[in-house]
Structures are given as C-alpha cells and as structure tokens.
Amino acid sequence: MKGKHVHFVGIGGIGMSSLAHIMLKKGYQVTGCDINSDQETVSSLKAAGCVIETPHGSACCFDDSIDMMVYSTDTRHPMPEKDRALRGGAALKHRAELLADIMSQKQSIAISGAHGKTSTTAMIGHLLQVAHADPTVVVGGICPQWKTNFMYGKSNIMIAEADESDRSFLKLPAQTKIVTNIDHEHLETYSSLQDRQATFLQFLNSNNQNNSTHVICVDDPSIQQIRHLIDINYVTYAIDNKADFYAKNIDLQPLSSSFDLYVYGQCVARCTLAVPGKHMLLNALGALAAARMFSSVSYEYLVDGLKSFCPVERRFTIRGSFHHATVIDDYAHHPQEIAVTIQTACNFAKGRTFVFFQPHRFTRTAGLWDQFVQTFRRELANAKLHFFMTTIYSAGEPEMSDVSTERMVKEIDNGRCAFIENRTESIIKALPNDLSEDDTILFMGAGNVSKHSTEIFAYQ
C-alpha cells in the first residue's frame, strides 16, 4: 500500500477501528474522525497515538499528507473530505477493500453469516492463539481476552469477520470461508432470502485462494438448500443433522455446556465451553472445524482453548446484580437471535425473567414484523417471562409512520408485554419491588439499550 498516512472516516466503528489499529501496528500514521468521541474504540485508538477529531469534516480530514482515506458504508454519502482526498491524489478505499488488501498478504479465514459470526471469529482467534499460531484477528466486537476488537500477530495467519450487511464481504479473499447460517436480514440491502442465498453462494465460490476448503453449518435450512451449488471443497458441522464435525452427549448448563466432539464418526475429545446456549455450542463446532481444517491444530489445544474462551462483549454478558437479580446484556436483535437468547436467559433464571428489548432499524422491524410478533407470542407462553419494548433505534434510517413498538405490543396482545420509554428511570419503575437472586433482568438489542445494563446500578 502506497504512502504512510491513512485517514479513517468514521473511525470509531467496530469494523473501522480494528483496521485502524492494524495500520498503526504496521507503522502507518493513522488519523480519523467520528461523530461520537465517547466510544470505547475511539478512546483505545487515542491511547495508541491516533489523532481523532469530532465530527466529520474536522481539520485533520483535509491534511495534505493523507495518502489513503478509508470509509465505510455508513459514511458512503458525499463528504467534502473525500472530494479533497481525491483531488490531492490520495487513494479512496472502502473498509472492505482495505481489509481485502491485508488479507491477500496472508493465509486467511473469513467468517460470515446472519448470526454467530462475531462469536465464531473470536473463538477461532482464541483457539489459534492458545495453539501458539500467533494470528492476526479482526472481529466485530470487544473480546475480553484481548480487551479490544483485534489481535495483531506476527504469523502469516489472519482471521477476519466478513460483513455481509452491505455485500462488501464479496471483496474478501480467503483460503477458508465459514458460513454459520443464512437468514432474511439487512432488509435495506437484500430484497429476499433468495437474494441472500445467491450472495452467500457467490461469497463461497469466488475470490478463493489455492487449496481452499470451506466450512458450512448444515443445521441451517437455507444452507442446505444451496450446498449442492458450492463448487469448492467444504466440510460440515451440525448438532441436529449428519455432519463431518458434530456433537453428542450434550450437557447444557446455565452458564456453560459440554459435549463429545465427533469428527468423521469418531469421538476425538470431550469439550467444555464456558458460555451458555445451544447456539453458542453450534458456533464452537464451526470454530473447531475451521481451526482443525485450516491449521491442523491438535485436539489437545482445541479442548484447552475452548475451555478458556470468554464470550465477546454483549453476548450474554453478566453485568452484576440489581436488588439481588442478575443483570445480563445481549446484542440479539433479529427474531431468531431473540428467541435463543430469551431461552438461554430463562434456562439461567430460577425465577422470573424481565426482558427489555429495543428494536433496531425501521427496515428490519417492518420487514420482519410477523416474525417478531410470532417470536414474542411464542416465548411469552412462559409464564415467568415479562417483556418490555422501547422505541425503535433508527440507526440513521428515516422513521416509518406505521411502524412502532406501541403497535407491535398491541398486536402481540399479552398481559406480560408492554411498551416502555428508553430511560433507566422508566425501567426501574417497571421492575417489581420483590426482586430476588432467582430473577434475571435481560437488556437486549443492537442500539443503545445496553447503557441501561450499567446505569441501573446507580439506583441500588
């Protein structure tokens, strides 16, 4: 890559900040701008020596020494700093193009899917780190092991989360590609489930390095429908279907799971994962398959790595206790994710579960309306579940006048589902006075609902 000064527009984004850190590690001068200077990712980059100004269009964006300006899909609209960079001869790159450049220099794994890709990416990175493979990792969440969203290794191995939300994952080369599942999601980009299936098929069949072998989850019906069209070698993993890597004798505990790992019909190890939920166990199978197929890591290292893995931030993260009840924070925002997270929380709680959910994006809420309603009705069959829904987090989208949580609550029509303002004070008032250590409070969503999971403790 030409030049030594790279500027990131929207540097605080979870995908942008990891690349900014890697460019710093490579010896580049890195600057950036963002509309939110309070993000943890921004603080981390500033501590590493990065100059970051707020908002976009600040003085540092027009520095004549900028050789490359990096932007994301969220900042793709016209901006004066982009025009200035082009006029000055700087390269203008989408985040995925820069990631592709870095990956092309290494032997790499790319992980994508509607659900579970962040956790699977982090697991693979941790497994290979425990095995002393010293990989470089780019992940879409904060990993407690590294206290950040990247790891810079000295080996020729790279593991990267592949974002399908804007189809930019099609740019990424990789020796091994993992698809965890294909679901109707990111409706601002994809017109239908069939559109997503075709795009994931293109992802698997294109931009491959030599000797490619991919990893797919055959518990997912959408993957099953297209697997005969994959023209690259692949291995499979599953819990409920026949696969190359699968689990038997599963023991799901409130905060962990254990299972026998079978590979090509042979039991190779007894594994323990210190993360709850059947969905996380499925992610672990994908991570184990990828680590084994990609680098032939011994099963001894795989077992040790899985046992010491800590979940990514906001993946069933326990924040503490409020009036004795356990407070949990989770990123789930799609009906399928919501269902498994609520089920995991109810399995954890001995008593009642109080869920505070914030819908994310008007396009998702409108496009998956029936799935949301059916999911909430089904889960509310559990008499110990109490559900509250806040206003929709727009994520910059224009409002839709006929799409609201108040309307959804009425359609769900259950006495234990109610609308609530997105304020910590309102949440406190909604909780009963007789909370106990058997109860669980779950904050769930991809917007800013997470803040209540920490602010609530000021009201003890």
Side-chain angles (χ1 to χ4, degrees):
M1 282 172 263
K2 181 182 177 182
K4 280 290 183 181
H5 183 178
V6 184
H7 182 83
F8 288 80
V9 181
I11 196 168
I14 199 70
M16 294 282 273
S17 57
S18 56
L19 291 179
H21 273 293
I22 287 175
M23 296 305 280
L24 277 170
K25 292 287 188 181
K26 284 177 167 289
Y28 286 79
Q29 176 190 354
V30 176
T31 58
C33 58
D34 205 284
I35 58 174
N36 182 3
S37 61
D38 296 329
Q39 299 173 80
E40 181 181 350
T41 50
V42 170
S43 300
S44 174
L45 282 164
K46 284 183 175 180
C50 190
V51 175
I52 301 174
E53 295 183 359
T54 304
H56 302 311
S58 299
C60 70
C61 305
F62 300 95
D63 192 315
D64 290 333
S65 70
I66 294 174
D67 300 292
M68 180 190 301
M69 184 168 284
V70 184
Y71 67 98
S72 67
T73 300
D74 288 339
T75 57
R76 63 185 166 188
H77 51 281
M79 289 184 171
E81 55 266 43
K82 289 184 181 180
D83 294 337
R84 172 67 176 273
L86 287 172
R87 290 199 304 270
L92 191 62
K93 284 184 178 286
H94 186 277
R95 183 195 69 86
E97 293 173 324
L98 177 58
L99 177 58
D101 287 344
I102 299 171
M103 291 177 69
S104 67
Q105 302 168 23
K106 294 179 177 287
Q107 295 296 299
S108 56
I109 306 175
I111 304 94
S112 196
H115 323 294
K117 57 182 173 288
T118 300
S119 294
T120 304
T121 304
M123 284 184 191
I124 298 170
H126 181 68
L127 291 175
L128 294 186
Q129 183 186 38
V130 169
H132 308 294
D134 198 18
T136 294
V137 186
V138 174
V139 62
I142 303 299
C143 300
Q145 298 100 318
W146 318 322
K147 297 182 179 179
T148 186
N149 56 343
F150 83 104
M151 181 166 58
Y152 188 75
K154 296 179 181 179
S155 76
N156 195 39
I157 296 175
M158 183 166 184
I159 303 143
E161 181 172 337
D163 180 14
E164 90 288 3
S165 66
D166 55 1
R167 303 185 201 261
S168 63
F169 71 150
L170 296 176
K171 301 177 185 291
L172 304 181
Q175 183 177 1
T176 294
K177 296 177 183 177
I178 304 173
V179 177
T180 59
N181 43 63
I182 304 173
D183 205 345
H184 195 24
E185 169 68 308
H186 297 295
L187 282 73
E188 72 280 9
T189 301
Y190 297 93
S191 60
S192 64
L193 176 59
Q194 292 71 30
D195 184 15
R196 284 181 65 86
Q197 286 176 307
T199 306
F200 271 92
L201 192 61
Q202 185 180 350
F203 168 67
L204 287 168
N205 288 338
S206 63
N207 295 330
N208 295 295
Q209 295 185 12
N210 293 332
N211 301 317
S212 294
T213 299
H214 300 330
V215 180
I216 62 173
C217 176
V218 291
D219 272 351
D220 183 69
S222 294
I223 292 178
Q224 283 279 32
Q225 290 170 7
I226 65 167
R227 63 181 293 187
H228 67 285
L229 298 173
I230 301 172
D231 58 19
I232 302 294
N233 293 331
Y234 64 85
V235 297
T236 60
Y237 68 96
I239 292 175
D240 298 324
N241 289 283
K242 183 178 179 180
D244 300 319
F245 286 72
Y246 63 96
K248 290 181 67 175
N249 302 319
I250 296 171
D251 181 17
L252 296 176
Q253 296 294 321
L255 283 176
S256 65
S257 60
S258 57
F259 59 96
D260 290 332
L261 173 62
Y262 277 75
V263 180
Y264 301 120
Q266 299 295 318
C267 182
V268 297
R270 181 70 181 173
C271 300
T272 298
L273 176 66
V275 184
K278 184 178 178 180
H279 60 302
M280 283 295 186
L281 193 157
L282 191 59
N283 293 335
L285 284 174
L288 290 166
R292 178 67 179 175
M293 298 304 299
F294 183 80
S295 60
S296 300
V297 173
S298 72
Y299 290 113
E300 180 182 1
Y301 278 128
L302 293 177
V303 170
D304 287 346
L306 208 60
K307 188 182 298 183
S308 60
F309 175 75
C310 296
V312 176
E313 179 75 5
R314 300 210 62 221
R315 272 63 177 182
F316 213 77
T317 300
I318 296 177
R319 298 294 188 195
S321 60
F322 176 78
H323 291 294
H324 307 293
T326 302
V327 177
I328 296 173
D329 185 19
D330 198 276
Y331 189 69
H333 54 281
H334 183 280
Q336 183 172 323
E337 298 167 352
I338 290 165
V340 296
T341 301
I342 289 176
Q343 290 160 18
T344 301
C346 289
N347 184 49
F348 170 83
K350 296 179 181 178
R352 298 163 296 181
T353 301
F354 299 90
V355 179
F356 296 90
F357 171 63
Q358 180 187 47
H360 187 260
R361 291 186 179 273
F362 284 93
T363 52
R364 179 181 290 114
T365 307
L368 301 177
W369 184 275
D370 290 342
Q371 290 185 42
F372 277 115
V373 171
Q374 291 165 13
T375 296
F376 298 143
R377 284 177 177 170
R378 184 176 63 249
E379 298 307 321
L380 281 163
N382 182 341
K384 292 184 178 181
L385 180 65
H386 300 265
F387 198 86
F388 301 88
M389 201 180 312
T390 77
T391 50
I392 298 169
Y393 186 86
S394 70
E397 291 184 342
E399 291 189 15
M400 298 180 181
S401 58
D402 60 338
V403 179
S404 69
T405 48
E406 295 96 323
R407 179 185 151 216
M408 185 174 286
V409 166
K410 289 180 181 178
E411 191 167 330
I412 294 167
D413 190 24
N414 184 292
R416 285 175 285 106
C417 179
F419 170 78
I420 192 170
E421 292 182 347
N422 189 29
R423 298 172 59 248
T424 305
E425 293 84 354
S426 300
I427 289 166
I428 300 298
K429 291 179 181 178
L431 290 167
N433 294 323
D434 63 341
L435 289 171
S436 76
E437 62 184 12
D438 290 337
D439 297 326
T440 296
I441 303 168
L442 172 63
F443 294 97
M444 191 168 57
N448 60 8
V449 70
S450 175
K451 65 182 180 180
H452 306 304
S453 69
T454 53
E455 291 179 0
I456 194 173
F457 300 116
Y459 295 82
Q460 292 275 28

